[in-house]
Amino acid sequence: MEDVNACDLSGIQYAVNATLHNTEASFAFDEKCKEQYITVIHAVNLGKAAFLAIEKPKGYPFSEVAKKGTDDFRCSLGKYISPYGMFWQMPVPWIDEAIKKYSKESFPQLSIGAYIAAGYCTNILCQLAEGKEVKYFPKFYLSPLLEEV
């Protein structure tokens, strides 16, 4: 929390929150960004996949995902992704399997997921800087290494 309080965000338009979203400091950083009208990109490593959500300063709060009720944030995130995909008739079966497997242990932190997340962050930051349209939370970006077609 001391780091968040000491963080000078003056002149910043966009921030990336790539923490595990399992601490008070992670969400305090988001709140500090909102107070200063900074758009936050949330990047989550899902092992062999990446999840990204862009939170507008006055938009729907990303912290709502943490209220889904499991101890592991990424399982809560999976429980957000799965019904979203079903609603839009775009099921994500691998996320359901991952929730079952990792509800008893944590998601692996593989470099593959970090690499995918970093690439998406770079792309999204370029789109924002160029004034191009992006998807804001509750919409999101999900990119698995391999996807069934």
Side-chain angles (χ1 to χ4, degrees):
M1 288 300 294
E2 295 84 24
D3 291 339
V4 172
N5 293 331
C7 188
D8 179 18
L9 298 175
S10 57
I12 303 294
Q13 285 185 294
Y14 311 110
V16 177
N17 185 341
T19 65
L20 290 177
H21 298 85
N22 60 353
T23 66
E24 183 180 330
S26 176
F27 294 112
F29 176 75
D30 293 347
E31 284 303 313
K32 185 171 184 172
C33 288
K34 278 186 174 216
E35 290 169 6
Q36 297 186 27
Y37 300 99
I38 298 170
T39 298
V40 179
I41 300 171
H42 296 273
V44 182
N45 178 347
L46 294 175
K48 292 184 180 178
F51 171 94
L52 279 90
I54 307 166
E55 183 178 9
K56 286 183 179 180
K58 295 259 183 205
Y60 190 71
F62 184 69
S63 60
E64 289 297 310
V65 171
K67 296 179 181 177
K68 296 294 179 197
T70 65
D71 292 336
D72 186 282
F73 175 76
R74 285 166 292 187
C75 282
S76 294
L77 185 59
K79 290 179 180 180
Y80 174 79
I81 295 168
S82 184
Y84 187 95
M86 294 299 286
F87 177 81
W88 292 107
Q89 298 178 4
M90 297 168 45
V92 187
W94 63 266
I95 201 78
D96 295 323
E97 292 170 25
I99 293 168
K100 287 178 195 169
K101 181 175 181 180
Y102 297 118
S103 63
K104 296 177 178 83
E105 56 187 273
S106 64
F107 270 76
Q109 289 292 286
L110 301 177
S111 58
I112 296 167
Y115 179 79
I116 295 168
Y120 261 89
C121 279
T122 303
N123 188 38
I124 288 167
L125 284 167
C126 287
Q127 289 177 318
L128 288 166
E130 293 171 357
K132 293 182 179 175
E133 192 171 319
V134 294
K135 294 189 278 187
Y136 288 98
F137 189 73
K139 294 179 180 177
F140 55 86
Y141 296 88
L142 179 66
S143 179
L145 177 64
L146 298 171
E147 190 170 353
E148 292 182 25
V149 180

